[in-house]
Amino acid sequence: MEGIDFGQNMQPVQSVAIIGAGNMGSGIAQKTAQEEFDVQMVDREAQWVERGQTIISDFLAEAVERRIFSPEQVEQIKGRITGVVGTENTASDTDLVIEAVFEDFDIKSAVFNTLNEVCNENTILASNTSSLSVNELALASGRPDRFVGLHFFYHPAKNRLVEVIPGEDSSEDTIARTVQYCRGLGKVVILCKDRPGFVVNRFFVPWLNEACLLLQEGVASAAAIDAVAMKAFRIGLGPFALMNLTGPPIALHSTDYLAEQLETPRYVGAENLREMVEAGNQWEIGDDTECSEDAAQEIRTRLLGQVFAVAGQIVDEEICSLEDVDRGAKVGLRWARGPFELANRLGIDDAKA
């Protein structure tokens, strides 16, 4: 996935539209405006556009309190964001339109059908998807040569990672202009193949599910599993705390999707995770971090082993480079070390065991 041609005649992206003003869409709009792009934030109803603007205002108010931006800079940022009601009202001459609606193929396809009609032939369409097939979305868009997948990580105004996923028919110009836009946002870009889970979620989601299986089997408490994981991976939050932060339904949806797409029964959502989602609850973690050394060793072995195995598959399938796998873990997940760095530190023989 190397060798992007940033030709001298390439027209840079200057105007951007974000379809969907939820937490992710408003975050992408905010970051885009912060980097001095003109951006439209589009949603179906005025109330959703206004909600997105409120989310942005709240984040920027916090940034003023922390002296990241001055009040004058905040007004300039908000002034670059235009609220638009209705996808059909997206400006026809927009350079790049990023769809950030619910993770449902039919909903996304309907958005792209509208965009393909209202946008001119030079507009690039992109989907902010974490799991759906970019190639299938590209075909549904009606302009597969000017289509690309983008996977921003939450919160997009803070998290520096973005995965760029070209479709089979994405033109070199489409890829180059999109990558240049992402780098203009200050993002670390991983260019990867269209495979289920892309890069980071491919190893991170099974890692979460393995923690659920450890709890389900009674190996240790959720607090103990989190504590062992935090020490083994040198991270600030363990798998259960992370699931509570992002929402257990996202973890369940993601792991079931990978199980189906990769035909890997091991990835099917653990029963305790499924019951948690059905009940609308979050994990009760508690403070009991004690467990036996044997239990701690099993937790370390299974969590590390899951990551090592999947990271190896990613490289074997040429989804991206070994270095990009590590980069994704460190930038996107804020791990101190990536999977291959962890394996090297442990020793290859022990990592394979």
Side-chain angles (χ1 to χ4, degrees):
M1 303 298 290
E2 300 296 328
I4 305 172
D5 182 16
F6 295 98
Q8 291 183 346
N9 296 325
M10 183 185 73
Q11 293 297 315
V13 168
Q14 294 179 311
S15 59
V16 182
I18 313 298
I19 311 298
N23 291 332
M24 185 62 79
S26 64
I28 300 170
Q30 175 189 327
K31 180 60 176 173
T32 301
Q34 284 176 196
E35 303 307 326
E36 303 188 0
F37 291 87
D38 294 323
V39 56
Q40 304 155 68
M41 187 168 63
V42 186
D43 216 313
R44 293 177 301 165
E45 299 179 18
Q47 62 176 321
W48 304 124
V49 175
E50 291 167 6
R51 178 181 179 273
Q53 291 170 328
T54 299
I55 293 171
I56 292 171
S57 293
D58 289 345
F59 267 101
L60 291 175
E62 180 184 333
V64 170
E65 290 179 7
R66 296 173 60 191
R67 299 187 179 181
I68 297 171
F69 294 122
S70 68
E72 293 76 20
Q73 287 174 312
V74 165
E75 289 308 308
Q76 291 171 0
I77 292 166
K78 291 195 288 189
R80 297 187 194 105
I81 303 172
T82 302
V84 176
V85 177
T87 302
E88 68 277 8
N89 294 316
T90 303
S92 62
D93 60 350
T94 307
D95 295 326
L96 172 66
V97 181
I98 302 170
E99 163 275 311
V101 302
F102 187 70
E103 193 77 341
D104 179 277
F105 186 87
D106 292 337
I107 295 174
K108 290 178 182 288
S109 295
V111 168
F112 288 125
N113 287 335
T114 301
L115 290 171
N116 192 41
E117 292 178 4
V118 302
C119 295
N120 69 32
E121 62 180 14
N122 296 317
T123 300
I124 296 170
L125 302 183
S127 177
N128 178 57
T129 180
S130 60
S131 60
L132 298 176
S133 168
V134 171
N135 285 318
E136 291 179 12
L137 286 169
L139 291 173
S141 76
R143 53 176 75 191
D145 59 322
R146 281 156 290 140
F147 190 93
V148 68
L150 289 176
H151 180 205
F152 286 87
F153 286 71
Y154 192 79
H155 184 280
K158 297 179 180 180
N159 194 308
R160 294 183 59 227
L161 187 68
V162 64
E163 295 172 339
V164 176
I165 310 100
E168 292 176 357
D169 298 317
S170 300
S171 70
E172 286 295 323
D173 181 71
T174 294
I175 299 168
R177 293 176 71 197
T178 304
V179 168
Q180 185 184 58
Y181 156 74
C182 292
R183 289 178 177 166
L185 300 185
K187 298 292 185 183
V188 174
V189 176
I190 294 180
L191 198 64
C192 60
K193 287 184 178 178
D194 181 25
R195 290 284 292 147
F198 309 132
V199 178
V200 173
N201 277 356
R202 177 73 177 267
F203 66 82
F204 179 61
V205 171
W207 180 79
L208 294 174
N209 198 50
E210 193 66 28
C212 296
L213 291 171
L214 285 162
L215 178 63
Q216 182 173 292
E217 295 165 19
V219 174
S221 68
I225 294 168
D226 268 6
V228 173
M230 288 165 64
K231 186 174 181 180
F233 290 87
R234 291 180 60 196
I235 51 179
L237 293 173
F240 293 103
L242 284 167
M243 282 186 277
N244 280 350
L245 186 66
T246 59
I250 294 176
L252 179 61
H253 169 80
S254 299
T255 197
D256 279 348
Y257 175 82
L258 282 182
E260 177 187 356
Q261 294 295 311
L262 298 171
E263 298 180 349
T264 307
R266 181 74 180 177
Y267 295 168
V268 172
E271 280 305 311
N272 56 356
L273 174 59
R274 199 172 303 280
E275 291 169 2
M276 180 76 57
V277 171
E278 289 174 356
N281 295 329
Q282 290 197 320
W283 297 108
E284 294 183 7
I285 298 174
D287 300 319
D288 182 16
T289 61
E290 296 298 319
C291 68
S292 68
E293 181 51 39
D294 286 345
Q297 183 58 42
E298 181 173 356
I299 295 166
R300 282 191 294 269
T301 299
R302 286 173 57 175
L303 292 180
L304 286 165
Q306 186 67 260
V307 168
F308 294 158
V310 179
Q313 292 169 2
I314 291 169
V315 175
D316 287 345
E317 294 174 22
E318 299 181 341
I319 296 172
C320 71
S321 68
L322 178 155
E323 292 80 9
D324 274 343
V325 174
D326 279 351
R327 192 173 292 117
K330 291 189 290 184
V331 178
L333 301 178
R334 296 184 176 89
W335 288 9
R337 297 187 179 91
F340 292 100
E341 292 171 333
L342 284 166
N344 282 340
R345 191 171 183 83
L346 185 62
I348 297 300
D349 290 339
D350 286 340
K352 286 181 176 180

